[in-house]
């Protein structure tokens, strides 16, 4: 499957991001993550060819399959960053070692199991703590009131390197809720 128009769509997205950054006035940096779910390894290669250095997957098996295929073919782009963006089952924490950033550290049990794995394996893992800011029952994550306690728990596990927080607004959220 070709990815016609990818460069043009990416240029448009970069322009929109630059305009938003200028409006925001905070000098923030933005990293675009190409989510290649449901596409094969060729989507990863297309993203890289378009100048994207980060790819994301929400399923461990799909991501590892793509990584393994690219590595076996000798086509893994050097410097490509892999993001795990979806829910992680506790029994799959050992996969964290194959990702550069895990976006959904969403429950205490996962904090404990991920910390136990990375400490045993002698590796570290960059994570985003998922916060359910609007209390949607259909979404995972810590309640805002619990973030301080979670932060304290995470301080006990330096191999889990917190790089920020992640949240998702409701699909139909108005501007006030988004802010």
């Amino acid at each position: 499957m070709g990815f016609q128009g990818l460069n043009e769509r990416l240029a448009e997205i970069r322009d929109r991001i630059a305009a938003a950054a200028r409006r925001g006035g905070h000098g923030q940096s933005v990293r675009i993550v190409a989510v290649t779910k449901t596409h094969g390894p060729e989507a990863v290669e297309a993203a890289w060819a378009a100048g994207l250095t980060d790819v994301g997957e929400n399923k461990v098996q799909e991501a590892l399959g793509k990584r393994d295929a690219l590595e076996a073919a000798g086509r893994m782009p050097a410097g490509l960053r892999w993001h795990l963006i979806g829910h992680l089952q506790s029994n799959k924490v050992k996969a964290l070692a194959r990702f550069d950033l895990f976006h959904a550290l969403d429950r205490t049990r996962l904090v404990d199991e991920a910390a136990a794995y990375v400490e045993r394996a002698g590796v570290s893992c960059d994570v985003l703590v998922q916060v359910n800011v609007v209390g949607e029952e259909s979404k995972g994550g810590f309640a805002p009131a619990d973030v301080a306690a979670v932060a304290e728990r995470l301080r006990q596990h330096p191999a889990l390197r917190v790089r920020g927080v992640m949240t998702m607004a409701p699909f139909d959220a108005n501007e006030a809720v988004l802010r």
Side-chain angles (χ1 to χ4, degrees):
M1 165 184 210
F3 296 92
Q4 295 84 10
L6 176 60
N7 289 328
E8 293 79 12
R9 290 190 315 259
L10 186 55
E12 180 185 327
I13 290 167
R14 285 184 168 137
D15 288 345
R16 290 173 54 197
I17 290 170
R22 283 190 302 274
R23 282 192 312 274
H26 300 291
Q28 64 271 51
S29 65
V30 175
R31 184 180 295 269
I32 298 173
V33 178
V35 178
T36 61
K37 69 182 198 175
T38 73
H39 295 286
E42 69 278 0
V44 175
E45 292 176 299
W48 182 261
L52 296 173
T53 58
D54 294 75
V55 295
E57 293 293 336
N58 68 334
K59 294 186 177 167
V60 170
Q61 294 89 334
E62 187 173 349
L64 297 183
K66 288 176 190 177
R67 285 189 67 138
D68 292 344
L70 289 168
E71 288 168 354
R75 296 193 331 252
M76 175 65 80
L80 184 67
R81 290 175 35 96
W82 288 83
H83 299 244
L84 181 57
I85 61 173
H87 177 79
L88 180 65
Q89 297 171 338
S90 297
N91 64 339
K92 295 182 181 167
V93 296
K94 65 180 175 263
L96 290 174
R98 306 255 338 253
F99 292 92
D100 295 290
L101 182 62
F102 174 48
H103 288 231
L105 191 60
D106 62 355
R107 59 198 184 282
T108 303
R109 179 176 172 202
L110 186 56
V111 169
D112 295 340
E113 291 179 2
Y117 167 72
V118 296
E119 290 164 4
R120 260 193 331 271
V123 297
S124 60
C125 180
D126 289 352
V127 300
L128 300 178
V129 176
Q130 185 171 338
V131 180
N132 190 340
V133 295
V134 293
E136 273 190 287
E137 290 184 26
S138 64
K139 298 229 178 9
F142 295 99
D146 297 334
V147 170
V150 171
E152 187 55 39
R153 184 181 215 108
L154 284 162
R155 284 175 40 122
Q156 299 169 24
H157 302 291
L160 289 178
R161 298 183 308 210
V162 177
R163 299 301 186 212
V165 298
M166 184 278 280
T167 187
M168 293 181 292
F171 184 71
D172 58 352
N174 63 36
E175 189 69 22
V177 170
L178 290 175
R179 293 195 182 279

